[in-house]
Amino acid sequence: LRGERGTPIKSINDGTVALTSDHFFTGKTIVLDHGGEIMSMYFHLDEIQVKAHATMSIDGTIIFDSPLEEDPV
């Protein structure tokens, strides 16, 4: 999914921040653990505004989008 730079991205469900990191291929990354072995992952972020182990509620803003500079069409 694409978004304009600065677009708030919401958590898809209640959960706990399992990972915040900056990876080579996925860039700034957040992984949320929703329980029951269900996770959601957010990649190529402009910034990370949450810390590991933080609790998130559904529709809580977790990050702001930053599309790749050379986003394929």
Side-chain angles (χ1 to χ4, degrees):
L1 301 176
R2 292 184 189 195
E4 296 295 321
R5 185 178 293 268
T7 301
I9 298 176
K10 309 286 185 176
S11 171
I12 63 165
N13 206 342
D14 295 344
T16 302
V17 178
L19 173 74
T20 61
S21 189
D22 192 351
H23 295 285
F24 180 76
F25 288 107
T26 60
K28 291 185 175 92
T29 299
I30 295 174
V31 177
L32 295 181
D33 182 350
H34 302 288
E37 298 183 19
I38 297 172
M39 304 252 191
S40 59
M41 294 172 260
Y42 306 84
F43 304 122
H44 303 290
L45 308 172
D46 189 39
E47 59 183 288
I48 296 175
Q49 299 181 340
V50 296
K51 296 185 187 267
H53 311 294
T55 301
M56 300 303 304
S57 61
I58 192 167
D59 290 331
T61 300
I62 55 174
I63 57 234
F64 290 88
D65 189 31
S66 174
L68 295 171
E69 293 298 321
E70 296 180 23
D71 207 7
V73 176

